[in-house]
Amino acid sequence: MTDERTIRIEPVTRLEGHGELTIKLGKGGKVKDVQFNISSTRFFEKFLEGRLAEEVPRIAERICGICPVPHLLASVKAVEAAWDVNPPSAAEKVRRLFLNAKQLSSHGLHFFALAAPDFLAGPFADPSQRNVVNIIKSLPDVGKLALQVMEYGQDLVSAIGGKSIHPVTATPGGMLNPFSEEHRDNFLERMEDLKEWTTDTVELAKKVVDDYWDVIENFAVVPTYYLGMHYRGNYEIYDGRLRVMNPEGEIVENFPAKRYRKYYGEHVPDHSYATHIYYKPAGYPEGVWRANSLARINVADKMPTPLAQEALEELREKLGRPTHATFAYHWARVIEMIQAVEEMEKLLTDPEIVSTDVKLSDVEPKKGNGVGVVEAPRGTLLHHYWTDEKGIVTKTNLVVATNNNIGGIEKSLMKAAKQVFENKEHENLNLPDPMIK
């Protein structure tokens, strides 16, 4: 007889992708192993080979149904880097507007639909109560707020990209279409409403932070390295250098994306199809890093817009820099939502945003290799392509957000599993009364 057992959660729900969780327990509930299993592969790197590079962005963006805009832009930037192409200034501004619109809608989806059900109904409520449908039914004002925030972002993605899912208008050399004055005026008219909805979202998030402070401060807190983009120290998601911060909060690397192979280590575990990317000089698993919202605000010295900076200062006053609190990812997402709204308003009031000079006419395929990197909502996204003289892709390397986060996810899960199964700490957490009953 043995009291050893294995717990398998298959599939893990409320996840932007496909995953399984395996927890192996030994005698007395001792946690022997925790695995986050990615149980399928999709071969994108292989079937992009042999394609004309101009076609690749329209295929590569289908890696993700939530984040097609970041994949589209990382792919286009990789082709442009391989062919030494610099798109017009107006095209870059439209792309930034595009990326921030997706950042807003994706973070709204994550906060309201994936995270809020547990916070508002309580983590120990019946699973049938912990979903976004119940939020809409029980708290219609919150449900309406969620839909309005996501709708603005997705409408703007559709206006720029031709459609809200898998948009197609970014191309090597610029954008296929200019951003029209009619669209600009429409989204500016709706901006005051969006700012009001964002303020309401921030107030809700602050209540969640206050109510769940014991959880944020004490549960699944694990020190790791962090990876994120910056521009001269400022938070950045479209174009900048990459920083690596160590667990003590020191910036240990600052490099252009094209030099990534010196710093990106790749570990291939036996239990998952997804490789674990880590900080190569530190080795594995010591060099496991995390990307995503918390990593970005850890590595950035400051936010480039005033209200987002105020929000960042409030977080750092309570949690310091860096913060290793896994549940603070939600707080960081709200800071990034503020940043996205402020940057979108700035871009929409820029006269150049409606310029018709958005595409070069002399883009020539050639032999080369190039790296494109942007920040997707879930973390740093890197595409590296090699092309021959005819502009046909001969090799690719894709490092997506999941690869950058999965090692850190397993570290967080191991810490949480020990707190639950070995120490029963969840039984003594200070939790609020549920807002949904």
Side-chain angles (χ1 to χ4, degrees):
M1 294 290 290
T2 174
D3 56 0
E4 295 189 1
R5 62 184 174 126
T6 298
I7 299 172
R8 288 186 63 83
I9 301 174
E10 179 185 4
V12 176
T13 58
R14 279 192 267 151
L15 184 72
E16 297 170 11
H18 306 284
E20 302 166 8
L21 174 61
T22 303
I23 304 172
K24 297 181 178 179
L25 301 177
K27 293 181 179 179
K30 288 290 183 182
V31 179
K32 297 174 64 177
D33 193 16
V34 175
Q35 300 171 356
F36 188 70
N37 314 103
I38 303 299
S39 52
S40 64
T41 185
R42 293 180 292 170
F43 305 106
F44 268 86
E45 288 177 326
K46 201 62 186 173
F47 65 67
L48 290 178
E49 293 178 7
R51 301 275 183 176
L52 292 170
E54 298 99 310
E55 296 177 348
V56 165
R58 297 195 294 273
I59 302 170
E61 66 166 344
R62 293 181 180 275
I63 291 171
C64 180
I66 301 295
C67 297
V69 174
H71 276 286
L72 176 67
L73 295 181
S75 182
V76 166
K77 288 177 67 178
V79 178
E80 290 174 342
W83 295 352
D84 298 321
V85 172
N86 293 305
S89 168
E92 180 178 319
K93 290 180 179 178
V94 174
R95 290 178 183 180
R96 286 181 176 275
L97 185 61
F98 205 14
L99 191 58
N100 277 284
K102 171 47 68 179
Q103 183 92 316
L104 174 71
S105 67
S106 182
H107 279 358
L109 171 70
H110 198 120
F111 179 73
F112 286 108
L114 303 184
D118 286 335
F119 290 128
L120 302 184
F124 302 117
D126 188 291
S128 66
Q129 302 298 310
R130 290 185 279 124
N131 56 71
V132 70
V133 174
N134 194 32
I135 290 179
I136 294 172
K137 179 181 176 183
S138 303
L139 300 172
D141 289 346
V142 175
K144 183 179 180 182
L145 177 63
L147 295 175
Q148 288 169 325
V149 169
M150 289 186 282
E151 183 181 37
Y152 188 102
Q154 285 301 96
D155 283 353
L156 186 47
V157 167
S158 179
I160 296 171
K163 52 185 180 177
S164 59
I165 307 296
H166 302 310
V168 294
T169 50
T171 190
M175 300 292 291
L176 292 176
N177 302 314
F179 188 60
S180 72
E181 293 186 16
E182 180 183 359
H183 279 137
R184 187 263 321 265
D185 294 344
N186 173 271
F187 287 100
L188 274 177
E189 286 177 8
R190 297 164 61 186
M191 180 55 70
E192 289 306 313
D193 286 337
L194 176 62
K195 289 195 288 188
E196 182 179 335
W197 302 330
T198 305
T199 299
D200 291 344
T201 303
V202 171
E203 291 304 312
L204 176 63
K206 284 183 176 180
K207 176 171 172 48
V208 168
V209 168
D210 290 340
D211 288 351
Y212 284 90
W213 186 250
D214 194 19
V215 176
I216 293 171
E217 195 174 29
N218 297 303
F219 205 74
V221 178
V222 289
T224 64
Y225 284 78
Y226 295 96
L227 171 73
M229 183 184 287
H230 77 102
Y231 179 72
R232 297 180 178 177
N234 279 348
Y235 168 94
E236 171 65 38
I237 62 173
Y238 177 72
D239 196 21
R241 296 169 69 94
L242 297 177
R243 272 182 171 178
V244 178
M245 173 180 276
N246 69 15
E248 290 72 40
E250 300 167 321
I251 301 297
V252 293
E253 303 293 351
N254 176 28
F255 58 94
K258 64 183 179 181
R259 295 176 58 201
Y260 76 97
R261 286 187 289 182
K262 181 177 179 180
Y263 307 105
Y264 279 46
E266 188 172 25
H267 172 71
V268 183
D270 293 333
H271 60 267
S272 176
Y273 282 109
T275 58
H276 297 195
I277 304 299
Y278 62 96
Y279 177 48
K280 185 186 286 186
Y284 186 88
E286 290 78 9
V288 163
W289 64 30
R290 290 188 280 184
N292 202 320
S293 52
L294 189 66
R296 287 190 285 263
I297 68 161
N298 270 338
V299 304
D301 297 331
K302 60 183 180 180
M303 306 298 285
T305 57
L307 295 179
Q309 176 62 19
E310 286 182 20
L312 176 63
E313 290 172 1
E314 188 174 352
L315 180 145
R316 285 183 175 168
E317 187 177 338
K318 289 195 171 185
L319 291 172
R321 179 192 183 196
T323 174
H324 301 301
T326 301
F327 279 89
Y329 268 93
H330 302 301
W331 194 350
R333 282 190 189 93
V334 173
I335 295 172
E336 290 192 319
M337 289 175 71
I338 301 170
Q339 163 68 29
V341 172
E342 289 185 293
E343 184 159 356
M344 285 192 296
E345 183 177 32
K346 180 181 177 183
L347 288 165
L348 285 169
T349 54
D350 185 331
E352 197 176 17
I353 201 69
V354 291
S355 169
T356 57
D357 181 20
V358 293
K359 187 177 184 304
L360 302 177
S361 58
D362 57 351
V363 175
E364 294 289 339
K366 67 176 191 178
K367 184 176 183 178
N369 80 85
V371 175
V373 63
V374 300
E375 288 287 345
R378 247 56 68 199
T380 310
L381 176 59
L382 184 147
H383 287 221
H384 189 179
Y385 303 154
W386 288 257
T387 61
D388 66 12
E389 293 81 358
K390 296 179 181 178
I392 293 174
V393 173
T394 58
K395 180 181 175 183
T396 70
N397 186 30
L398 309 180
V399 183
V400 304
T402 299
N403 300 117
N404 286 317
N405 285 309
I406 196 165
I409 290 172
E410 289 198 342
K411 288 191 74 169
S412 298
L413 288 170
M414 174 62 84
K415 179 66 181 292
K418 288 184 176 181
Q419 288 180 285
V420 169
F421 294 104
E422 295 183 6
N423 304 324
K424 311 295 183 187
E425 294 178 31
H426 61 294
E427 297 176 358
N428 299 314
L429 287 172
N430 182 20
L431 300 176
D433 292 333
M435 292 178 65
I436 298 175
K437 297 182 179 178

